[in-house]
Amino acid sequence: MNHLKRINSALISVFDKGNLEPIIGKLNKLGVHIYSTGGTKEFIENLGVKVTAVEDITDYPSILGGRVKTLHPKIFGGILARRDNITDQEQLKEYQIPEIDVVIVDLYPFEDTLASGASDQDIIEKIDIGGISLIRAAAKNFKDTVIVPSKNQYQDLIDLLDEKKGETSIEDRKKFALEAFNISSHYDTAIFNYFNSDFNIPAFKQSSISGNELRYGENPHQKGTFFGNLDDVFDQLHGKQISYNNLLDIEAAVQLISEFEETTFAVLKHNNACGIASRNDLVDAWNDALAGDPVSAFGGILITNREVNMQTAIEIDKIFFEVIIAPSYASDALQVLKKKKNRIILIQKMFDFPKMQYRSMLHGALVQDRDLKMEIEADLKTATKKAPSKEEIEDLLFANKLVKHSKSNTIVLAKNNQLCASGVGQTSRIDALRQAISKAKSFKFDLNGAVMASDAFFPFADSVQIANEAGIKSVIQPGGSVRDQESIDYCDKHNMAMVFTGTRHFKH
């Protein structure tokens, strides 16, 4: 069956008129009858192209300050009429309704207006009614009508007009309809989420117009796509395409470094910090972060909260790594880092991350508040007879930040604002502690005077006992176990300090 149809008429009503002129010129050259209204009609007339006002079809002017222009049976009848339906065709003749073969729309910029911080009144006025209705109507009748739903599809129509000289296939029209419902559903989702910010009804609606196809997913046999706009968060200065696993590590790195105001450098691998240190000088922060685990740092993700200078870049360049993230780079440092062609170099922009997070789960999605709580000294409750020293408190708070951003079960050992070692992703807290102690010793760290942080409470006293035997004398943990007293009693007996935060930081 031949579904090629010729475009004889077009309705055009757009907000963004950029790149519209070539479309008008091509439609005019093809002898297409153009209908329009308002500012779009004036734009077309100024091009010297004949256009029929929508009001001349409907016999109604634009009313209510422009809120009602195209919402009329003579417009929607021309769009929705089935060309192979005898009754539809008879009614078109009876009511003098012209057929409309292509509809070109660009909606009011609701999301841009919302992001601009405009008033509620201005935001509401940017909820498009006529345009969204035109999109849905034309997309529904894709068998007979072409719908161009946004400025992003202008070029697609231009290419189609060039290629097929004013004719379209059913496949062409269905693809435009697909884009139309993508646009309309996304638009409605944005509006819903705006209204729901005041009510927070339990509905899960997230939308992204387009995705970036990745080389593959977590493994080469899996497909992967990123939905979102990385350009809002980073400028990529150099390197290969960011991978699925890179993105997971980058997310973990960005969230971790956000906890630190001091000059800090971190190295991450598989979403966990394998090295991190805070120092007065950036190069010292890098060297001490690397010392935390120079083996795992190979192929890792590096992040800092300071401009990377030449001295630090020279040191960094001595190892192989996948990604480096910083707020800026000195020009000479950048030249050093760019020596490896695949090395991904990112500038992190100022960006407010969503306060909600979600993941697919079973046959649905899990949604929760992002863990934005981080304890300060005033939140600490000393549970033992001995209180931690000022230096120990500083290390305890440092270690607690790392615990929050490490996979559970996790134990972090730190000293002098440096990660000595951590045990992460273990099925028992004891295993996590033993892993951390073994790792610290393998890299020649002296744990005498180090501190220990735990993401959850200790159900027994065995963890503080093992820590004490390793030389650790100060502990931070949430508390809350029915057997807290056993750990407290052991610490008191062995002159250890322990503080409770009252907050668990599981991360799975």
Side-chain angles (χ1 to χ4, degrees):
M1 185 176 180
N2 189 353
H3 292 286
L4 282 177
K5 290 184 176 291
R6 183 157 193 84
I7 297 173
N8 294 309
S9 59
L11 171 64
I12 307 175
S13 180
V14 302
F15 180 84
D16 191 327
K17 299 166 186 63
N19 207 30
L20 184 61
E21 183 176 348
I23 294 176
I24 303 301
K26 291 181 185 298
L27 292 175
N28 185 51
K29 186 176 180 180
L30 290 166
V32 175
H33 192 131
I34 298 175
Y35 302 95
S36 191
T37 186
T40 307
K41 174 177 169 290
E42 292 179 11
F43 176 85
I44 297 170
E45 288 175 332
N46 289 336
L47 295 175
V49 175
K50 183 179 179 182
V51 56
T52 298
V54 166
E55 293 83 353
D56 292 343
I57 303 172
T58 64
D59 291 327
Y60 270 90
S62 172
I63 61 174
L64 306 181
R67 282 189 165 195
V68 180
K69 292 183 283 191
T70 57
L71 294 169
H72 193 281
K74 283 196 171 185
I75 298 302
F76 283 84
I79 295 169
L80 286 164
R82 291 159 291 191
R83 309 307 196 253
D84 59 357
N85 184 291
I86 295 175
T87 302
D88 285 7
Q89 293 302 305
E90 288 175 348
Q91 289 181 336
L92 289 184
K93 291 179 181 179
E94 179 181 357
Y95 297 107
Q96 297 181 324
I97 299 173
E99 291 181 348
I100 296 174
D101 299 320
V102 60
V103 176
I104 303 173
V105 176
D106 185 63
L107 299 172
Y108 290 160
F110 175 82
E111 288 182 282
D112 290 345
T113 305
L114 179 62
S116 73
S119 67
D120 285 344
Q121 181 179 350
D122 288 340
I123 292 169
I124 295 298
E125 286 305 315
K126 286 299 184 288
I127 297 177
D128 206 311
I129 303 301
I132 203 77
S133 302
L134 292 171
I135 287 173
R136 291 179 62 84
K140 177 177 179 176
N141 199 31
F142 71 89
K143 186 177 178 182
D144 297 303
T145 308
V146 180
I147 173 61
V148 181
S150 83
K151 60 185 178 182
N152 295 328
Q153 281 73 47
Y154 287 0
Q155 188 59 49
D156 293 336
L157 179 61
I158 291 172
D159 293 341
L160 184 62
L161 293 173
D162 284 339
E163 179 186 351
K164 295 188 176 178
K165 310 303 180 186
E167 291 188 326
T168 65
S169 68
I170 186 68
E171 291 80 12
D172 297 328
R173 297 190 295 276
K174 191 170 186 178
K175 186 176 180 181
F176 275 104
L178 171 66
E179 291 288 353
F181 286 119
N182 186 20
I183 295 291
S184 65
S185 62
H186 178 79
Y187 197 78
D188 284 342
T189 295
I191 295 169
F192 168 82
N193 286 330
Y194 164 69
F195 278 89
N196 199 35
S197 64
D198 290 332
F199 298 95
N200 199 29
I201 66 172
F204 179 68
K205 296 186 186 295
Q206 296 295 325
S207 177
S208 181
I209 286 291
S210 61
N212 297 316
E213 186 174 341
L214 305 173
R215 284 175 289 162
Y216 50 80
E218 201 161 6
N219 299 291
H221 62 277
Q222 296 170 271
K223 290 184 179 180
T225 306
F226 175 76
F227 292 96
N229 189 358
L230 283 178
D231 292 338
D232 289 342
V233 189
F234 301 108
D235 285 329
Q236 182 169 352
L237 304 182
H238 186 73
K240 62 184 178 181
Q241 180 189 11
I242 297 173
S243 72
Y244 183 99
N245 290 329
N246 288 155
L247 287 170
L248 293 176
D249 284 329
I250 289 169
E251 159 77 6
V254 167
Q255 297 303 329
L256 172 61
I257 205 70
S258 69
E259 305 285 2
F260 294 88
E261 296 182 1
E262 310 88 347
T263 299
T264 302
F265 224 121
V267 184
L268 286 89
K269 198 76 172 287
H270 296 292
N271 311 153
N272 296 297
C274 56
I276 183 169
S278 296
R279 295 290 183 262
N280 291 329
D281 294 326
L282 186 63
V283 68
D284 293 334
W286 161 250
N287 287 327
D288 288 346
L290 179 62
D293 187 345
V295 175
S296 295
F298 182 87
I301 307 295
L302 316 184
I303 190 166
T304 182
N305 55 4
R306 296 292 188 272
E307 179 175 276
V308 176
N309 55 39
M310 180 62 165
Q311 183 184 10
T312 307
I314 291 172
E315 294 300 314
I316 292 170
D317 190 53
K318 294 177 181 179
I319 74 162
F320 167 73
F321 60 90
E322 288 268 343
V323 181
I324 183 169
I325 309 164
S328 60
Y329 302 84
S331 58
D332 52 358
L334 196 56
Q335 294 308 309
V336 170
L337 296 174
K338 283 184 175 181
K339 288 192 298 184
K340 301 292 193 299
K341 68 176 183 178
N342 288 330
R343 186 178 280 167
I344 298 169
I345 302 175
L346 301 176
I347 288 181
Q348 183 179 349
K349 301 177 182 179
M350 296 296 294
F351 184 78
D352 291 328
F353 287 92
K355 292 181 172 57
M356 303 295 293
Q357 58 185 177
Y358 38 87
R359 63 170 72 175
S360 60
M361 183 62 55
L362 300 174
H363 193 53
L366 278 175
V367 181
Q368 69 170 353
D369 296 332
R370 188 180 292 276
D371 186 358
L372 298 175
K373 183 172 176 56
M374 179 41 60
E375 293 70 44
I376 59 175
E377 184 174 353
D379 297 318
L380 307 184
K381 177 184 176 182
T382 302
T384 51
K385 294 177 182 177
K386 181 183 178 182
S389 67
K390 180 180 178 181
E391 291 76 14
E392 286 175 329
I393 289 174
E394 188 174 338
D395 279 340
L396 290 170
L397 293 173
F398 176 89
N400 195 49
K401 292 175 181 178
L402 304 189
V403 150
K404 172 184 169 181
H405 293 277
S406 301
K407 295 288 186 181
S408 300
N409 288 308
T410 183
I411 293 290
V412 167
L413 307 180
K415 185 178 179 181
N416 299 328
N417 288 317
Q418 179 186 19
L419 173 63
C420 299
S422 59
V424 298
Q426 298 301 303
T427 53
S428 78
R429 207 154 299 283
I430 285 291
D431 286 345
L433 174 55
R434 286 175 174 154
Q435 181 190 60
I437 292 172
S438 174
K439 190 172 182 180
K441 289 181 177 179
S442 72
F443 291 116
K444 309 303 181 185
F445 279 99
D446 179 6
L447 293 179
N448 287 295
V451 305
M452 174 173 71
S454 175
D455 60 337
F457 63 65
F458 296 118
F460 305 100
D462 47 6
S463 292
V464 291
Q465 179 182 347
I466 294 170
N468 175 59
E469 292 169 355
I472 294 162
K473 292 298 181 182
S474 194
V475 179
I476 185 170
Q477 59 137 319
S481 169
V482 295
R483 305 179 77 158
D484 274 346
Q485 195 59 47
E486 293 181 17
S487 295
I488 294 171
D489 290 344
Y490 182 90
C491 288
D492 285 341
K493 184 176 179 180
H494 293 84
N495 198 33
M496 296 176 70
M498 183 163 62
V499 297
F500 290 168
T501 65
T503 301
R504 187 182 74 186
H505 288 295
F506 269 168
K507 183 182 179 186
H508 294 105

